[in-house]
Amino acid sequence: MQPPELSKNASFYMRPQEEPPLSRAGFITLSIIMAFFTIPAIVLNATVIIVSLMHKQLRQPLNYALMNMAVADLGTAMTGGVLSVVNNAHGYFSLGRTGCVMEGFAVSLCGITSLCTVALIAVERMFVVCKPLGQITFQKKHAIGGIALTWLWSLAWNMPPLFGWGRYEMEGVGTSCAPDWHNTDPNNVSYIIAYFAVCFAFPFTLILISYGNLLRTLRQVSKMACVEGGAVAKGEMKVAFMVILMVLSFLVSWLPYAGLAMFVVCRPDAKIHPLVGTVPVYLAKSSTAYNPIIYIFLNKQ
């Protein structure tokens, strides 16, 4: 089946008159790889949501953010993951220009919400352990407010391309859509730089500051607890392991994607093979599969 006619600017990588960037076997391989991440992501995140709804003891304020991340990751998997599997099986983006914009917006909205929720979890844990505001108790209203902020923040920064600041465009091998990193128009470049700053650099900074304060507090407690020092040290090591794992998962998921985007913005004349541009996309989407494992299934509760 041949791809439908698209406008000249419909895709940075593939236009109707050009040869596809990958062979048929290559597209099928990508479809299988994406299915390998998408199916577990749907099952795991749906399981987290169902189990949380079924068991009242899990519906605690500190767990709200975990459930919110499961909802966002499920949305990413159901939109970006499933559509990537289908489109790679076709060998081209099969939903047209309107479908590209809708998919790009939906995936970006859920993806950035999930990313911001990672930062929210870090901040919540810091407030609970370090108590920077004194003995203020973390309550339901705080958890709901934080969740609302993640969605509003993501919505605020993913809406502009729908109204002319930036745009959604095909990426990688032309089977998925995202904010257009390649357009050198000043209007688009300004959006991408702002998007990078507030949707990647800012959450990552919050994560580093929050977990840094958390580990520092745990070390102080360990030094002060002479009698229970062994138990505290053991708990500190466990938290430290979780912190390192969380930060590494964040970097593996998003740093290649953000790094490539900024490289393209700074070096618009650089020639990047479509497959190279696709790998960071899949790494970011793969986080929907291992996020529930790291953040939830390693939680004894």
Side-chain angles (χ1 to χ4, degrees):
M1 182 181 295
Q2 294 298 319
E5 289 295 319
L6 302 174
S7 65
K8 183 177 181 181
N9 294 323
S11 172
F12 176 82
Y13 291 115
M14 185 176 71
R15 297 188 175 91
Q17 69 272 19
E18 296 179 357
E19 288 296 321
L22 290 179
S23 65
R24 181 62 177 162
F27 278 115
I28 294 297
T29 300
L30 287 181
S31 181
I32 294 173
I33 292 174
M34 200 65 234
F36 178 79
F37 289 109
T38 300
I39 294 174
I42 293 174
V43 173
L44 291 174
N45 287 292
T47 300
V48 168
I49 295 170
I50 293 172
V51 170
S52 298
L53 292 175
M54 290 177 60
H55 297 278
K56 186 177 181 180
Q57 64 269 29
L58 294 177
R59 298 196 296 272
Q60 300 176 8
L62 279 173
N63 288 338
Y64 285 8
L66 294 174
M67 189 171 177
N68 184 61
M69 185 169 61
V71 172
D73 283 345
L74 181 61
T76 302
M78 293 294 292
T79 53
V82 172
L83 289 179
S84 291
V85 172
V86 173
N87 288 325
N88 278 311
H90 281 111
Y92 61 91
F93 193 84
S94 58
L95 302 178
R97 178 62 195 166
T98 301
C100 178
V101 173
M102 293 176 63
E103 190 227 3
F105 172 74
V107 174
S108 298
L109 175 66
C110 293
I112 296 302
T113 298
S114 177
L115 192 156
C116 290
T117 305
V118 176
L120 175 64
I121 292 171
V123 172
E124 286 182 352
R125 292 182 178 182
M126 181 192 70
F127 271 81
V128 170
V129 175
C130 304
K131 299 185 182 301
L133 299 180
Q135 297 302 316
I136 296 179
T137 304
F138 186 78
Q139 300 176 4
K140 181 179 179 179
K141 62 181 181 181
H142 301 128
I144 294 177
I147 290 172
L149 182 61
T150 63
W151 285 97
L152 291 174
W153 187 264
S154 180
L155 185 64
W157 289 101
N158 285 296
M159 286 286 286
L162 302 179
F163 298 97
W165 189 29
R167 59 178 286 171
Y168 290 109
E169 185 57 275
M170 293 186 195
E171 60 182 351
V173 293
T175 53
S176 62
C177 292
D180 187 1
W181 314 107
H182 307 281
N183 194 319
T184 57
D185 182 80
N187 174 70
N188 188 75
V189 172
S190 64
Y191 170 74
I192 293 302
I193 293 175
Y195 193 79
F196 171 84
V198 301
C199 292
F200 175 79
F202 180 61
F204 184 53
T205 301
L206 285 180
I207 290 171
L208 292 180
I209 293 175
S210 299
Y211 283 136
N213 288 333
L214 177 61
L215 290 178
R216 184 166 58 252
T217 299
L218 288 174
R219 282 196 297 269
Q220 292 173 351
V221 172
S222 180
K223 292 178 180 179
M224 294 173 61
C226 298
V227 178
E228 298 178 344
V232 173
K234 184 178 179 181
E236 180 183 349
M237 290 299 297
K238 182 179 179 180
V239 173
F241 172 74
M242 289 293 295
V243 168
I244 293 172
L245 196 58
M246 290 171 181
V247 174
L248 286 178
S249 69
F250 182 96
L251 291 175
V252 169
S253 300
W254 292 100
L255 187 58
Y257 192 47
L260 179 64
M262 286 296 96
F263 175 78
V264 172
V265 169
C266 297
R267 295 285 302 276
D269 56 337
K271 300 298 181 181
I272 300 175
H273 191 277
L275 191 58
V276 175
T278 298
V279 172
V281 176
Y282 282 20
L283 283 175
K285 291 180 179 179
S286 69
S287 65
T288 60
Y290 55 75
N291 268 345
I293 297 175
I294 295 174
Y295 288 89
I296 298 170
F297 288 106
L298 291 182
N299 182 346
K300 286 185 177 182
Q301 185 183 25

